[in-house]
Amino acid sequence: MPASFFEWVVFFAKKYGIFFLKGAGTTLYIALISTILGFLIGLAIAVIRTTPMDEHDSQAKKAFYKIVQAIFVAYIEIFRGTPMIVQSMVIYYGSAELWGLDMSPIVAALFIVSINTGAYMAEIARGGIISVDKGQYEAASSIGMTHRQIMISVVLPQAIRNILPSIGNEFVVNIKDTSVLNVISVTELFFMSKSAAGTYMRYFEVFFITCVIYFILTFTVTRLLLIVEKKMDGPDTFVIHGSQTVPSAVLKGTR
Amino acid sequence: MNTPIIKVSHLEKNFGENKVLVDIDFETYKGDVISIIGSSGSGKSTLLRCINLLEKPTSGSIYFHGQDIQEKGFSLQEYRARVGMVFQNFNLFNNLTVLDNCTVGQIKVNRKSKSEAEKFALEILNSVGMAQYIHAKPKQISGGQKQRVAIARALSMEPEVLLFDEPTSALDPEMVGEVLSVMRNLANSGLTLLVVTHEMAFARDVSNRVVFMDEGLIAEDSTPDIIFNNPKNQRTRIFLDRMLNQ
């Protein structure tokens, strides 16, 4: 039997290395997929919530729009206002109890983390859309673009760029918070660690390793996102390479 | 003359309690180059923004070739494509390159092919001296260059009328000239221009009509010669004295 702290760490790393890696893989998989799905859910909700109503629209359409808005607000408030660990229990066991749904833990995990993230993302994305300078929208309107065209070509690309740090934040939070899914037996990193630790009753050594793995995961992700941001922004200056030949042209203003 | 391109009739615009436009009647004919002058808060920009419905008028009508633009069924998108606008703060699409700024409208609104749109955009960018910067992003170019691209973007839609909302007010003094010279060329090309401006020299030398606005009303609407040398309205005189003797 290992005697010192470091001997235990080495022992666990050797014996359970593959377990830790599997757990880390599951954690990363759930966090990544759920962040992407949550982002898509949030973006869709934000786009709908920021769509202006036309005064020519019918009463029925306006009423329908109000109901949809209310549903979104309820969704956002409920999922932001309750702990994910509780949501997991309610959804996993509730769906089995009420509808006889036999979700595998991993599917349940993806579902729970996605809709939980979606609630946060909806507000983040709405903030991103609102933060795009009003002049951008006006300029696009002034050349005759429709609301949909403006959103797709002008507003959303800028909004998404602006909320990238917050999306990264959510991703990091998700990597860590998937640990609560051990309550529904998802075999992610925390669950694997607990099993390993329980076998030898060595909690400190095992969770020290777990801690290091979580940190490596989150740190790598934040670095990668920073690179993506830099790449999206491009350089601040523009250099003209050589002389470009362009067709000589006259002003053509009139039709 | 024939029917005016744009006719504004009894236009009124309130922002809450604040009456910005009181009662505006105004016509623009093809080839007109009209400068709209007046002190801050006189309603010049609001008038321009009402004309392409960026602001919704409180009451009154605006006609484009005799057609009421606020009527149900009138295609606002089509109208806006034919009445371009250049803003004080340029408002270039920050996520797009100079070239894409000038093609996105052509492709999405005028349904041109990408290559066709790029060819035309290049022609126009060349005419405003920005062809070398087609791959630059807005944040990489200067204010004067941005405004020239913004003008090119508006021109890429082949508009009948161009509205300028204080196009040189946000520029460093040494960059005002390059933008004004582009606008001079446009005026000479026969395009109809409505220019809200504080550049008195431009109003005097380039436009064929000058509109002086004061407290939400058109106080005087005349030739540059009369406005600058022999204004009928006392307020025009006071305003110009102040502007020209700075």
Side-chain angles (χ1 to χ4, degrees):
Chain A
M1 276 284 141
S4 69
F5 170 77
F6 284 108
E7 281 175 31
W8 272 110
V9 167
V10 172
F11 171 77
F12 277 114
K14 272 189 183 149
K15 183 152 186 184
Y16 289 98
I18 199 81
F19 273 80
F20 283 121
L21 283 182
K22 266 191 183 159
T26 308
T27 288
L28 205 55
Y29 170 73
I30 296 171
L32 179 66
I33 302 287
S34 303
T35 306
I36 292 170
L37 289 179
F39 167 69
L40 294 177
I41 294 170
L43 192 67
I45 290 176
V47 166
I48 296 169
R49 289 189 76 196
T50 53
T51 303
M53 270 276 112
D54 193 339
E55 55 177 316
H56 295 312
D57 287 335
S58 66
Q59 286 300 319
K61 194 172 169 190
K62 280 179 189 162
F64 175 73
Y65 187 68
K66 276 226 169 98
I67 293 168
V68 171
Q69 292 273 20
I71 292 171
F72 287 158
V73 172
Y75 160 67
I76 292 167
E77 292 302 332
I78 290 168
F79 279 91
R80 279 200 313 184
T82 54
M84 195 161 78
I85 190 165
V86 177
Q87 291 165 15
S88 313
M89 299 299 265
V90 170
I91 291 172
Y92 185 63
Y93 293 107
S95 62
E97 191 102 338
L98 291 178
W99 300 299
L101 253 170
D102 188 21
M103 275 193 279
S104 73
I106 195 90
V107 170
L110 288 174
F111 179 72
I112 290 157
V113 184
S114 295
I115 54 171
N116 185 283
T117 309
Y120 286 91
M121 288 286 193
E123 286 300 87
I124 292 171
R126 196 167 66 91
I129 290 170
I130 293 170
S131 75
V132 174
D133 181 21
K134 214 170 118 247
Q136 299 281 309
Y137 194 95
E138 288 187 347
S141 307
S142 82
I143 55 173
M145 291 169 76
T146 62
H147 176 77
R148 177 195 291 258
Q149 290 170 338
I150 297 170
M151 288 308 273
I152 292 171
S153 302
V154 179
V155 174
L156 289 183
Q158 295 183 49
I160 291 169
R161 162 62 193 92
N162 289 345
I163 64 172
L164 219 61
S166 303
I167 296 173
N169 231 350
E170 283 300 308
F171 192 11
V172 169
V173 167
N174 279 343
I175 289 175
K176 296 184 296 173
D177 283 5
T178 47
S179 58
V180 308
L181 296 166
N182 79 85
V183 298
I184 55 168
S185 321
V186 178
T187 52
E188 40 67 53
L189 183 53
F190 184 86
F191 185 90
M192 292 297 212
S193 309
K194 221 169 62 171
S195 314
T199 316
Y200 290 88
M201 300 306 261
R202 306 297 307 191
Y203 288 92
F204 176 46
E205 290 83 357
V206 169
F207 280 99
F208 177 77
I209 297 174
T210 312
C211 196
V212 171
I213 297 175
Y214 270 120
F215 182 75
I216 291 171
L217 290 182
T218 55
F219 190 74
T220 312
V221 164
T222 49
R223 293 301 102 177
L224 284 176
L225 278 166
L226 272 183
I227 294 171
V228 172
E229 274 180 47
K230 276 236 171 76
K231 198 141 200 186
M232 276 180 93
D233 286 346
D236 284 329
T237 50
F238 181 73
V239 186
I240 300 167
H241 297 287
S243 68
Q244 280 170 285
T245 45
V246 284
S248 59
V250 283
L251 272 179
K252 280 192 192 156
T254 45
R255 268 169 185 256
Chain B
M1 274 210 267
N2 40 12
T3 45
I5 298 187
I6 290 172
K7 181 179 152 77
V8 173
S9 159
H10 296 298
L11 185 70
E12 229 185 281
K13 174 70 190 176
N14 305 336
F15 289 110
E17 294 288 290
N18 190 8
K19 286 181 193 289
V20 179
L21 297 178
V22 178
D23 185 14
I24 302 283
D25 281 288
F26 171 80
E27 287 173 358
T28 310
Y29 293 92
K30 187 168 165 50
D32 269 347
V33 177
I34 301 175
S35 292
I36 303 172
I37 60 172
S39 32
S40 314
S42 58
K44 312 177 297 283
S45 292
T46 308
L47 171 60
L48 218 58
R49 291 168 61 82
C50 279
I51 286 177
N52 71 359
L53 289 189
L54 285 180
E55 299 294 347
K56 200 181 154 344
T58 307
S59 71
S61 315
I62 298 161
Y63 301 94
F64 182 63
H65 290 294
Q67 231 191 329
D68 188 346
I69 67 168
Q70 293 182 83
E71 221 170 53
K72 208 180 165 181
F74 180 85
S75 168
L76 191 55
Q77 270 80 36
E78 211 174 293
Y79 166 68
R80 281 175 169 161
R82 291 165 76 181
V83 179
M85 180 137 178
V86 175
F87 298 84
Q88 182 176 354
N89 294 318
F90 331 122
N91 293 344
L92 287 183
F93 306 136
N94 293 324
N95 57 317
L96 301 178
T97 62
V98 164
L99 185 65
D100 291 342
N101 263 277
C102 299
T103 57
V104 64
Q106 296 187 70
I107 294 168
K108 304 260 170 185
V109 182
N110 290 349
R111 303 263 160 228
K112 284 197 202 172
S113 71
K114 189 163 188 267
S115 62
E116 213 183 334
E118 284 184 348
K119 197 166 156 247
F120 188 55
L122 203 58
E123 231 174 82
I124 288 172
L125 283 167
N126 195 30
S127 74
V128 299
M130 287 301 292
Q132 285 187 304
Y133 293 89
I134 51 173
H135 298 303
K137 285 281 187 75
K139 70 167 182 178
Q140 298 169 327
I141 58 180
S142 74
Q145 292 173 329
K146 280 183 200 168
Q147 197 59 300
R148 284 188 278 150
V149 174
I151 293 172
R153 175 178 65 186
L155 288 175
S156 74
M157 304 301 291
E158 300 175 75
E160 287 178 64
V161 184
L162 260 192
L163 312 173
F164 286 86
D165 187 6
E166 303 195 24
T168 57
S169 299
L171 295 176
D172 289 339
E174 72 262 36
M175 290 172 180
V176 171
E178 59 188 80
V179 172
L180 286 181
S181 105
V182 167
M183 289 168 65
R184 273 205 184 88
N185 289 340
L186 285 178
N188 293 334
S189 77
L191 186 64
T192 310
L193 307 181
L194 256 66
V195 186
V196 168
T197 186
H198 291 292
E199 294 291 329
M200 291 304 132
F202 181 87
R204 190 180 53 215
D205 304 335
V206 183
S207 43
N208 68 332
R209 244 172 83 198
V210 177
V211 170
F212 172 69
M213 284 187 67
D214 187 50
E215 296 186 342
L217 282 163
I218 292 182
E220 196 161 353
D221 179 349
S222 196
T223 63
D225 183 43
I226 291 175
I227 295 268
F228 282 95
N229 299 323
N230 194 12
K232 300 281 178 280
N233 190 309
Q234 183 62 26
R235 316 232 15 178
T236 317
R237 201 184 301 262
I238 295 169
F239 173 76
L240 285 173
D241 273 349
R242 216 177 47 225
M243 287 304 285
L244 298 173
N245 297 325
Q246 278 170 347

